[in-house]
Amino acid sequence: MAEPVVRIPDAKVALSTASVYPESTATAFEIAARLGYDGVEVMVWTDPVSQDIEALRRLSDYHGVPVLAVHAPCLLITQRVWSTDPWVKLQRARAAAEKLGASTVVVHPPFRWQRQYARDFVTGIWRMADETDVRFAVENMYPWRYRDREMLAYAPDWDVTKYDYRHFTVDLSHTATARTDAMAMIGRMGDRLGHVHLADGNGSAKDEHLVPGRGTQPCAELLAGLAGNGFDGHVVIEVNTRRAMSAAEREADLAEALAFARLHLAPSAPSPPSAPSPAPSPSSAAEPPSSTSSGARPS
């Protein structure tokens, strides 16, 4: 019997609640359920629902969509969400993940002006990871650019592979903005790659978060590699739909991104070998073709 043509991927495909901005966290759960996502990653930001564990649990139960990851509030606009102390933010993110059944907390490296936090960050992340089964997956970032000027905004470095973390998140929009070789970075992460933010980019100074397949990043190559090596983390669609002219257009973009991920996470299995052609009989192999049967006249 022939082997199945398609392998079912081990990795689950989740929708980041940031992908529906400026719509709400609740809208993300609704869209994820309607489109058939395996779960959501909750971006903890200024939406009060994103900060409320019980509200998130009710949304998850109502829509039948699990929370697979929690993105800690690491953005400029979330400096006061869940405390101004960055370690308290991570502790609360871990508690939220544990209570919601999420396996991963996504965290950015510190901003350079968070000097004490940056100084202790690598050892502190290891310490927190030792206290829980939840993965703290540190995400690659990028230099900030304005015209011909470049600012290194993250410490100890935007390239997280320069330091020893237990788990990494790779973001392909960030590799585009950093203008770095995404596959080389993924190679350096090796088996510590635990989480993926799937998006695309063209190398703009802005963090574009395009629908995968619309930029220059090796989105398909990355997914095919994950499917082949038994990746057991999550692939999260984290795209920018702010320019969508309607809810239908936003949903179409998110459906396209999901289809792209599923297609490239389930590559075709090797085709079974063809049966050998039967060998010619001795009599037919010995006889020359009949000139009369083909209508040809001898020369």
Side-chain angles (χ1 to χ4, degrees), residues 7-299:
R7 288 198 303 263
I8 303 300
D10 294 325
K12 293 181 178 180
V13 183
L15 177 65
S16 168
T17 59
S19 295
V20 306
Y21 181 83
E23 296 293 337
S24 67
T25 301
T27 300
F29 277 88
E30 180 184 343
I31 291 175
R34 188 158 53 243
L35 295 181
Y37 278 84
D38 297 316
V40 300
E41 175 180 298
V42 174
M43 172 68 81
V44 180
W45 63 298
T46 55
D47 180 351
V49 171
S50 74
Q51 305 169 29
D52 186 330
I53 295 173
E54 289 308 313
L56 293 169
R57 194 199 308 278
R58 288 193 296 270
L59 283 169
S60 177
D61 291 345
Y62 179 78
H63 292 288
V65 175
V67 176
L68 300 180
V70 174
H71 196 309
C74 304
L75 306 176
L76 284 172
I77 63 169
T78 60
Q79 292 294 289
R80 297 185 176 278
V81 172
W82 279 0
S83 169
T84 56
D85 183 333
W87 292 115
V88 172
K89 292 174 185 284
L90 295 191
Q91 290 164 2
R92 293 190 63 173
R94 181 190 68 190
E98 290 172 342
K99 291 176 181 177
L100 294 167
S103 64
T104 302
V105 168
V106 178
V107 56
H108 292 179
F111 294 113
R112 293 193 74 86
W113 55 85
Q114 296 174 303
R115 293 182 182 178
Q116 185 61 48
Y117 179 44
R119 189 177 301 119
D120 300 335
F121 184 69
V122 178
T123 56
I125 289 292
W126 270 99
R127 183 179 63 251
M128 293 193 72
D130 285 338
E131 297 170 351
T132 180
D133 291 332
V134 174
R135 294 177 173 181
F136 282 87
V138 186
E139 184 174 2
N140 63 297
M141 300 305 291
Y142 47 85
W144 290 3
R145 294 189 180 92
Y146 179 71
R147 296 182 179 174
D148 59 345
R149 300 178 64 185
E150 182 174 289
M151 173 184 173
L152 300 179
Y154 299 97
D157 204 284
W158 62 264
D159 181 352
V160 293
T161 64
K162 293 182 179 179
Y163 290 85
D164 182 26
Y165 299 109
R166 182 174 293 173
H167 291 105
F168 294 110
T169 295
V170 69
D171 185 306
L172 291 189
S173 178
H174 295 176
T175 58
T177 305
R179 300 170 189 166
T180 193
D181 184 327
M183 295 309 295
M185 175 174 280
I186 291 162
R188 294 193 299 274
M189 291 178 174
D191 59 7
R192 291 180 293 168
L193 175 60
H195 200 68
V196 174
H197 280 171
L198 186 63
D200 215 331
N202 288 310
S204 166
K206 292 184 177 181
D207 186 15
E208 297 172 284
H209 282 276
L210 304 178
V211 171
R214 297 184 186 178
T216 61
Q217 295 304 286
C219 299
E221 185 180 353
L222 165 62
L223 294 174
L226 297 180
N229 68 15
F231 178 70
D232 65 352
H234 303 315
V235 174
V236 177
I237 302 299
E238 191 183 75
V239 296
N240 184 345
T241 62
R242 277 175 282 183
R243 294 187 178 180
M245 301 300 292
S246 65
E249 184 178 333
R250 173 176 291 109
E251 200 159 317
D253 283 347
L254 298 178
E256 179 183 331
L258 176 60
F260 184 100
R262 294 227 191 277
L263 173 65
H264 294 289
L265 275 172
S268 298
S271 301
S274 303
S277 302
S281 65
S283 59
S284 62
E287 291 180 2
S290 168
S291 59
T292 55
S293 63
S294 64
R297 298 180 62 184
S299 55

